Amino acid sequence: MAKENKKDYKHIAYFNPDVMSLEQSHQDFLTKMKLFNAGEGYENFNEFMEEEAVEYKNAGDGVTYVVWNVMYDNDNNEIGRDVVSYYTLAATAIPYEDRIRLDEEEAKATGKEFDTEICGISAIEIKMFAVDEKYQDVFFEYDGEDLPISAWIMRSIIDFAYSLLNEVIGFKALFLHSLPEAEKFYNANGFNAMEINMQPLHCIDSEYRAMYLALREVHMNYDE
C-alpha cells in the first residue's frame, strides 16, 4: 500500500489491538460493548452485536470476535479501551460447477456435450464485519507504513484463518458478501468476485456481491 499524506486522512498515534471472544467481552466490558456504533445507515450491525450474535453462536451459525483498542499508562497498566470492530465467522462451502467438454465420440454416445459435476470449495465465511464509526477511515503506522485500522483487522482475520487451516481444520478459502460501498476495500485485501462457474448458497445477504479469497490452490474446470 502506497503511503499517503497524513493531512489527507485521520491518523492516530497508537493502536493497541486486543481480540477477544464475544463472551469474554460481554463478561468483562458489557457497558463499553453497548457503545459500539457502526454509523448512520448501519444500525443493523449494532443490533446484531447487541441482540443476535449470541443467538448465532448458540445455533451454530457463527462465532463473533471483538477487536478492542487498549490504552495504557506509562507503567503499562491498562487505563481504558474502546470497541473498534467485530466480525463473525462460520463454516461454509462455495458450490461450483466442474465442467469438461466431452470428445465427439463420448458426446454422441452419452447425448451430452459436457461431463458436469457439482463440487464445493471448503471455506470460512465472514458473515458480519463492522467497524465503529470512530475508527472508520482511520490510519496508524504499522511496520513502516500507514495502514487503515480496518485493513489491519482484515489482515488479522486472514492470519487467523491460516492458523486454523494449518493447525485445526482444513479448508481452502474465505468467503463473504460485500455491501456495494465495501467492494473496493475487499478487493484491496485480496478478495475477488465469484468465478462464472461458482454458485454461492442462498442466504439473507445474497443480494450483495459474493466474494472469495483463496488460501490454498483451488482446481476447477469449466470448459466453454
Side-chain angles (χ1 to χ4, degrees):
M1 178 182 298
K3 288 190 176 182
E4 301 178 46
N5 191 310
K6 294 182 180 179
K7 295 179 181 178
D8 296 334
Y9 54 80
K10 294 182 287 186
H11 191 277
I12 60 174
Y14 62 86
F15 175 49
N16 301 311
D18 180 23
V19 182
M20 300 175 64
S21 68
L22 179 72
E23 290 76 12
Q24 189 66 49
S25 297
H26 275 168
Q27 179 179 321
D28 296 344
F29 306 106
L30 181 58
T31 301
K32 292 182 180 296
M33 289 277 291
K34 293 181 179 180
L35 298 177
F36 180 85
N37 183 11
E40 185 177 353
Y42 301 101
E43 289 81 7
N44 59 312
F45 287 97
N46 306 338
E47 294 167 1
F48 177 86
M49 189 164 71
E50 290 182 16
E51 303 172 9
E52 300 176 50
V54 172
E55 296 176 9
Y56 263 56
K57 177 181 179 297
N58 293 338
D61 291 329
V63 175
T64 297
Y65 299 85
V66 181
V67 182
W68 298 87
N69 185 23
V70 184
M71 281 68 78
Y72 298 96
D73 63 18
N74 293 333
D75 295 319
N76 208 34
N77 297 311
E78 181 176 331
I79 57 174
R81 61 172 56 213
D82 290 336
V83 182
V84 177
S85 173
Y86 76 85
Y87 54 88
T88 304
L89 305 180
T92 190
I94 307 171
Y96 67 92
E97 183 180 86
D98 198 81
R99 189 169 81 172
I100 299 176
R101 182 180 294 275
L102 298 176
D103 61 35
E104 186 176 342
E105 185 175 330
E106 288 180 303
K108 185 176 181 180
T110 62
K112 300 188 300 182
E113 186 176 0
F114 299 96
D115 179 27
T116 302
E117 295 181 346
I118 301 300
C119 304
I121 300 168
S122 53
I124 295 295
E125 180 178 2
I126 305 174
K127 296 183 75 74
M128 299 292 286
F129 176 45
V131 178
D132 188 274
E133 63 178 353
K134 177 180 176 180
Y135 289 92
Q136 293 171 12
D137 301 316
V138 174
F139 288 62
F140 75 110
E141 188 171 335
Y142 180 76
D143 283 349
E145 67 173 327
D146 285 339
L147 185 70
I149 285 177
S150 56
W152 181 93
I153 297 168
M154 182 52 61
R155 289 185 186 184
S156 74
I157 296 172
I158 294 170
D159 288 344
F160 181 48
Y162 273 116
S163 73
L164 291 177
L165 69 86
N166 285 327
E167 301 174 11
V168 180
I169 187 169
F171 58 95
K172 292 181 178 292
L174 284 172
F175 169 80
L176 56 82
H177 285 93
S178 173
L179 295 173
E181 59 269 30
E183 289 179 21
K184 288 184 179 179
F185 169 78
Y186 290 120
N187 281 144
N189 284 279
F191 285 81
N192 298 293
M194 294 287 105
E195 307 294 340
I196 188 173
N197 59 326
M198 290 180 172
Q199 303 169 359
L201 298 169
H202 178 77
C203 71
I204 193 171
D205 293 322
S206 290
E207 64 182 290
Y208 301 117
R209 177 68 63 89
M211 306 182 76
Y212 79 106
L213 169 62
L215 304 177
R216 290 287 187 265
E217 190 170 357
V218 174
H219 298 283
M220 296 185 295
N221 298 292
Y222 190 75
D223 291 341
E224 298 291 345

